[in-house]
Amino acid sequence: MMRDDTVRLPLAPAGDATERPISLAIVAMGGQGGGVLTGWVVKLAEDAGWVAQSTSVPGVAQRTGATIYYVEMMKAQNGRKPVLAQMPTPGDVDVVLASEFMEAGRSILRGIVTPDKTTLIASDHRSLAISEKSAPGLGIADSDAVTEAVGVVARQEIVFDMNALATENGSVISAAIFGALAGSGALPFPREAYHAVIGSGGKGAAASKRTFDAAFDRACAPAKPADAVVATPPPATLPRFEDRRMAALGQRIEALGLPVRVAEMALHGLAKVADFQDLAYGTEYLDRLEAIYRTDRALDGASQDYDLTFQAAKYLANAMTYDDIVRVADLKTRAARRQRIVDEIGAKPDQILHTTEYMHPRLEELAGILPVGLARWLKHRSGLYNWLDRRIDKGRRVRTYSAGWFILLYIVGGLRSWRRRSLRHATEMAHIAEWLQQALHAAQQDYELGVEIMKCRRLIKGYSDTHERSQSKFSKVVATIQQLQGRNDAAQWARRLRETAIREGEGGDLDGLIRTIRSFT
């Protein structure tokens, strides 16, 4: 995103003295090269004969901790070096560089971005905070508020996906931000001076220069005229499966004649379910979904854009791909997962990668993959069960890519053929059947209420203790919703119950809301 009315500030002559220091605040998360970028800015100033000073304050509240780096620079005058500050002062920062969009928003909240002074340079990609990832439902913060604020509080703004640009050019985001800084004209140094700084970096300098140049060109690109013609996007098309057998299953969805958004969600759900188990499991998913669609049509779901089927396509796929130890082991040993780690940390081909992960298995999870009869026999022997649990229920630090642990995890991940006969699978299938029956029964009298019950499945997530707690919360919410059936505002109360359950512990009081509902039902 780059605002069409962005004003390009004139570039000052290189090396000109200033009456006051130029100040820059760099906000970066761990692993994004904030320290490298700070070093580049300092070297840029010092190579031009300026005095530069940098400080940093690490943070630990978000992800791996967002660190604020602060740089002040000024040319010495009359042989005297300036005294420079160590921390940014609200209302007195010339340039703010943010490596992630929400960090740009936090910079605005801190008051260091001001409309009369500050050039804001930020990447608009998102790196989700722990609180966003761990929320029971959709906990991702809304970026729109930051987008709106950027256009008001900054003197000049340059905002685009610098992380993607860096990846395309084989480098890191710090090089892209450095290029955008050069293109902004906020500092009185020529492009060649920036190039010289990057060139002194040795290995990786070529990729950093490519990224720098691409970001520089993007920052200097002329603003798009307000009356520019916007190309009409091509008509939506459904994804296609390359595998012939999967394609045949996909044709079942297309043959139903669903709206595009519903068919697309169903195809994604089918792919997820088949990847979890096998094609036969994908067929089970489609059988359930077709039955729901037939009910939806009978309820005149077309007038609601078949929302009941749409929500079922999404949440049924999630329910059928529950987390068990087979799934966890399978995901941890996939080549794609290892490659993602390599990409995230920037590991080179000649470097050895080790990962150490904390695992805390319980006998409950291990018993869950046993055949139903054997698992129930074991659970009824409380003495034996407790004896085994005391020896299994321990935290372990596992080096996933060591030979021994990888082989063990790989074997466990290959036990999916056992899954259909397991106690855990039988338990999950019974829970799914009950949930769908509750949603469809409610939809017979109140279509919107049926949709809300279908959405309640988003409350269930996670593994082990987390899964048990979320399932308990789901049961509590659905049981309360059933007390609301017959009321004209039942769907509204159901929605409020679900959203309160999602926010519980962060401003949501589920038990208080349930007491309120019981008072009038």
Side-chain angles (χ1 to χ4, degrees):
M1 180 274 293
M2 191 179 301
R3 287 171 54 85
D4 294 342
D5 58 351
T6 294
V7 177
R8 297 292 171 198
L9 302 180
L11 185 65
D16 271 13
T18 57
E19 295 181 356
R20 54 173 293 280
I22 297 176
S23 56
L24 299 91
I26 301 170
V27 187
M29 296 176 296
Q32 291 191 318
V36 172
L37 179 58
T38 301
W40 282 348
V41 172
V42 170
K43 182 172 175 53
L44 177 70
E46 291 179 341
D47 286 352
W50 290 47
V51 178
Q53 174 181 281
S54 67
T55 58
S56 64
V57 178
V60 294
Q62 298 291 333
R63 315 165 186 95
T64 54
T67 299
I68 300 177
Y69 302 86
Y70 183 62
V71 179
E72 280 201 359
M73 62 181 70
M74 187 175 185
K75 197 168 186 178
Q77 299 183 34
N78 302 321
R80 293 181 299 177
K81 292 185 177 181
V83 177
L84 304 175
Q86 295 183 335
M87 283 297 294
T89 302
D92 196 34
V93 178
D94 297 293
V95 184
V96 171
L97 308 171
S99 65
E100 193 265 355
F101 204 44
M102 282 300 161
E103 295 305 330
R106 292 186 181 94
S107 298
I108 293 171
L109 291 175
R110 292 185 184 107
I112 61 175
V113 180
T114 51
D116 62 331
K117 182 179 289 292
T118 309
T119 293
L120 175 62
I121 299 171
S123 177
D124 64 3
H125 80 284
R126 290 298 326 280
S127 295
L128 301 184
I130 293 172
S131 60
E132 293 176 287
K133 294 178 181 179
S134 61
L138 182 60
I140 299 175
D142 186 4
S143 300
D144 290 344
V146 179
T147 302
E148 294 174 4
V150 165
V152 176
V153 301
R155 182 186 181 193
Q156 178 189 198
E157 64 273 359
I158 298 175
V159 184
F160 59 91
D161 192 342
M162 300 181 195
N163 188 62
L165 185 144
T167 301
E168 290 169 7
N169 289 277
S171 187
V172 291
I173 193 172
S174 54
I177 297 174
F178 200 49
L181 174 62
S184 72
L187 298 183
F189 308 113
R191 181 175 183 175
E192 294 74 18
Y194 289 85
H195 265 193
V197 170
I198 294 177
S200 65
K203 191 175 181 180
S208 294
K209 276 189 177 181
R210 280 197 310 273
T211 304
F212 172 92
D213 290 336
F216 182 94
D217 294 340
R218 178 69 180 268
C220 293
K224 183 176 67 176
D227 59 351
V229 176
V230 179
T232 303
T237 57
L238 295 174
R240 300 286 180 176
F241 297 115
E242 294 183 3
D243 182 86
R244 177 177 55 82
R245 294 172 300 171
M246 282 292 292
L249 290 178
Q251 289 172 0
R252 282 183 58 183
I253 295 174
E254 296 181 34
L256 293 175
L258 294 165
V260 172
R261 77 177 189 115
V262 182
E264 186 174 12
M265 181 61 72
L267 286 168
H268 285 303
L270 171 62
K272 184 174 183 177
V273 168
D275 176 72
F276 175 81
Q277 184 65 28
D278 50 31
L279 289 172
Y281 202 49
T283 301
E284 287 183 28
Y285 169 77
L286 292 183
D287 291 342
R288 287 191 175 101
L289 195 60
E290 285 190 26
I292 293 168
Y293 175 55
R294 288 194 295 270
T295 301
D296 204 355
R297 283 190 303 180
L299 297 174
D300 191 26
S303 63
Q304 303 289 334
D305 200 21
Y306 292 111
D307 198 29
L308 188 68
T309 307
F310 176 80
Q311 301 300 337
K314 178 180 180 179
Y315 292 111
L316 176 60
N318 289 343
M320 292 180 69
T321 55
Y322 53 88
D323 286 330
D324 58 5
I325 64 171
V326 176
R327 178 66 167 172
V328 171
D330 176 37
L331 292 176
K332 287 187 180 297
T333 54
R334 290 192 178 189
R337 189 229 185 195
R338 187 179 190 279
Q339 187 59 48
R340 186 177 71 250
I341 296 173
V342 168
D343 293 341
E344 287 179 355
I345 67 174
K348 303 297 188 295
D350 59 344
Q351 293 178 316
I352 298 174
L353 171 67
H354 290 294
T355 64
T356 301
E357 305 183 57
Y358 183 79
M359 296 184 183
H360 195 154
R362 302 181 309 164
L363 184 57
E364 181 72 23
E365 282 80 54
L366 293 175
I369 65 168
L370 296 176
V372 174
L374 178 58
R376 288 176 175 164
W377 176 88
L378 178 61
K379 288 194 170 188
H380 288 152
R381 269 66 180 176
S382 58
L384 175 61
Y385 188 91
N386 293 333
W387 182 84
L388 289 171
D389 194 32
R390 286 194 300 271
R391 283 150 181 80
I392 292 173
D393 188 4
K394 297 178 181 178
R396 293 170 174 83
R397 287 176 173 81
V398 176
R399 296 187 67 174
T400 314
Y401 297 115
S402 65
W405 276 109
F406 186 87
I407 291 172
L408 177 60
L409 290 171
Y410 189 81
I411 291 172
V412 173
L415 296 178
R416 63 173 68 188
S417 60
W418 289 23
R419 185 180 273 141
R420 291 176 182 275
R421 300 189 296 273
S422 71
L423 176 63
R424 176 68 188 280
H425 187 76
T427 302
E428 292 295 334
M429 293 304 103
H431 193 272
I432 288 172
E434 182 181 8
W435 160 61
L436 292 178
Q437 182 181 16
Q438 290 168 333
L440 295 176
H441 176 74
Q444 301 285 343
Q445 287 79 38
D446 186 336
Y447 188 92
E448 289 187 21
L449 183 60
V451 170
E452 294 303 325
I453 294 177
M454 202 71 79
K455 289 180 179 180
C456 282
R457 185 72 200 195
R458 68 188 290 192
L459 293 171
I460 300 179
K461 65 187 303 182
Y463 178 68
S464 188
D465 292 339
T466 302
H467 181 268
E468 287 187 5
R469 288 193 298 270
S470 65
Q471 195 163 46
S472 174
K473 185 180 294 185
F474 167 89
S475 299
K476 185 187 297 185
V477 168
V478 172
T480 306
I481 289 175
Q482 289 178 335
Q483 299 176 26
L484 294 165
Q485 293 192 45
R487 292 179 59 94
N488 293 332
D489 56 355
Q492 288 78 10
W493 280 105
R495 187 179 307 114
R496 186 174 176 184
L497 268 168
R498 187 184 64 253
E499 296 305 317
T500 300
I502 289 172
R503 297 193 309 272
E504 190 173 29
E506 297 181 3
D509 181 6
L510 179 60
D511 289 336
L513 181 58
I514 290 175
R515 287 193 297 270
T516 299
I517 291 173
R518 286 175 177 170
S519 69
F520 59 75
T521 56

